[in-house]
Amino acid sequence: MCGIVAAVAARNIVPVLIEGLTRLEYRGYDSAGLALLNPTLTRLRSVGRVAELAAQAAGQTAHHGIAHTRWATHGVPSERNAHPHVSAGLAVVHNGIIENYVELKQELLAAGYVFNSDTDTEVIAHLIQHTLQSAPDLFAAVRLATARLTGAYAIAVLREWDDSIVVARHGAPLLLGLGQGENGGNYAASDAAALLQVTRRMIYLEDGDVAELRRDAIRIVAADGTAAHVPADRPVHESTLSADDVELGEYRHYMQKEIFEQPQALAATLEMIGGAQTLSPNLFGVAAPEMLGGVRSVLILACGTSYHAGLVARYWIEQLAGIPCSVEIASEYRYRVSVPNSEQLVVAISQSGETADTLASVKHARALGMGRTLAICNVPESAIVRECALRFLTRAGPEIGVASTKAFTTQLAALFLLAVTLAKQAGRLSAGQEAEQLVALRHLPVAVQKVLALEPEIKAWAARFAAKQHALFLGRGHHYPIALEGALKLKEISYIHAEGYPAGELKHGPLALVDKDMPVISIAPNDALLEKLKSNLKEVAARGGELYVFADADSAVDAEDGVHVLRLPEHYGLLSPVLHVVPLQLLSYHVALVKGTDVDKPRNLAKSVTVE
Ligand code: F6R
């Protein structure tokens, strides 16, 4: 989604803006732009890569500037729709969607403002300009104007001859960076990765906050301080991200790097339990012993890959803890009439912690009186983490590739810990059984490392897929969500149409699609459903379908004509989905390489989906 960087400093901030935008490229964008003050306004915009904007900005110097990568919502990707948008000498960059922009536009058109783009953002620029006619300064004008906006936004605003930059957030992420050392200055950005180049000292703004940045001072005012400009006290966080976390290093793509980082990401996430033989509910927060105690059912809310993690967790929670668990796509749950249950634990799963639908679904659950909320999230201090009463932070490190990989496997580790904790509370695990599950969990990093060694064989398979238009992924039981995830990965980065199905559903419809041009990828672990799955595979083979089977070392499935088999080194019981997703990630990555698609920034997609 859109990315914002703003800087005011004694140094030349143009390189800071460009480097910041480069760091935000992973979020997905189609155009980029910046506005500099010298002290009059210079605006530069380009469609395409930040590198093109950087070329335009070469030789520019400034001490005040705002910059933006745009992911189109209102209006096609084009230079005229790229941010910043201007009104006289005032410029605005914006992330989010303004829902009442049509009404505001009518009002501003009637007042004589001229619109040069199709965006909702231009409305903000003119509205602030208009408000300045009666407001004492830019800060006051932004506060008054944003009070009229409905929807979600993070904005940064500057205007000619003014030595401040004003930023505001409501429903879209924005943080401040406090400059350090002789270069000093103050900064704002959509995420910390953009500002690590200048500082580690960050302040996460809250919804409703408006902040003013000057070279040597900042002030923040919360929405509820309206007339009085009461300063808001926001803690300063020292970011623990390292520059290496956001560098490609030896890898060609972030997705590749992140697939191979999974052993380390799992180990870091599991560090939280150390060598413990038994889990404490405190793992999920200080209020967890009390909140998890009376839990009678679980509702998981998430989107995309995080939703698939929730689907796997349902099998674990019901099997281990004997507690009913439902999993809902957040964008559906938030708008449907459901039956609230205050004894239900609501679990929001999100890599970014900023996904608008997931955030809104948790707010909806809370509004229905469901206060037992737990966030499983990869980004500390994100909106979803702050919204929930309990939290478990996965330690996957920054995930830059749009296609989620290491976030998924670490979410699974966290969800398994939750299932074991609930099982223990329900009195369904003996001390010995609990210790056994923890031993299996701790072995995951090593087991995943062994699966990664299958890459050469998977690469060879990928070459055969690249020319296909469609693919079918089959799984059963707790591997069915892995089939869904495999299909999602393939479609998002290789643009091959793919569907995930529970293998038992095949003959209820999708079998009609199977012919020699439809590769069928099947997950065939050596579990109780293997024999049933083999019958399903026979149904495919009988129709001339080409089968690609990911089996376990000891699965009784043999390669034959039209049936290709790859064996994972270990057979892993309940945690097997964590291993079986890895070859599917590698498969989609290598298919995308053969097809030459933009692996880390697939078309039309964004990393952190902060709009509905
Ligand atoms: C797929 C993918 C998306 C995200 C979804 C939720 O590879 O990355 O489907 O999983 O947009 O994002 P988070 O987990 O940040 O809430």
Side-chain angles (χ1 to χ4, degrees), residues 73 137 156 166 181 420 491 534 554:
T73 56
D137 56 24
V166 180
V420 171
K491 68 185 127 187
K534 279 164 70 180
D554 50 1

Side-chain angles (χ1 to χ4, degrees), residues 302-308 349-356 358 376-377 384 399 401-405 407 411 485 488-489 492-493 605-609:
C303 304
T305 289
S306 298
Y307 168 71
H308 296 156
I349 309 173
S350 175
Q351 186 286 127
S352 61
E354 302 290 348
T355 301
T358 309
I376 292 185
C377 189
I384 292 171
E399 193 180 63
V402 162
S404 187
T405 52
Q411 285 166 352
E485 177 59 10
L488 178 61
K489 288 284 94 84
E492 66 186 332
I493 63 163
L605 298 182
K607 182 68 183 162
S608 181
V609 187

Side-chain angles (χ1 to χ4, degrees), residues 132-251:
L132 269 167
Q133 291 174 5
S134 51
D137 56 24
L138 184 62
F139 187 65
V142 171
R143 296 193 69 208
L144 290 167
T146 50
R148 297 200 56 206
L149 303 177
T150 52
Y153 57 81
I155 57 169
V157 191
L158 48 67
R159 97 172 149 147
E160 290 180 339
W161 304 101
D162 198 316
D163 56 5
S164 69
I165 291 176
V166 180
V167 300
R169 79 156 271 179
H170 180 84
L174 196 66
L175 53 85
L176 305 186
L178 310 180
Q180 289 163 301
E182 61 189 70
N183 280 321
N186 287 304
Y187 307 86
S190 303
D191 82 39
L195 298 185
L196 284 177
Q197 50 163 331
V198 281
T199 183
R200 299 191 158 276
R201 298 177 68 223
M202 313 277 179
I203 293 177
Y204 294 88
L205 294 181
E206 306 215 341
D207 275 352
D209 283 355
V210 179
E212 182 184 63
L213 280 59
R214 293 176 184 277
R215 278 188 199 188
D216 49 11
I218 58 158
R219 65 169 159 155
I220 306 170
V221 176
D224 47 2
T226 308
H229 279 202
V230 180
D233 194 13
R234 303 277 175 254
V236 178
H237 295 263
E238 195 76 25
S239 173
T240 53
L241 284 180
S242 88
D244 286 353
D245 289 337
V246 288
E247 297 289 349
L248 257 182
E250 69 199 83
Y251 294 97

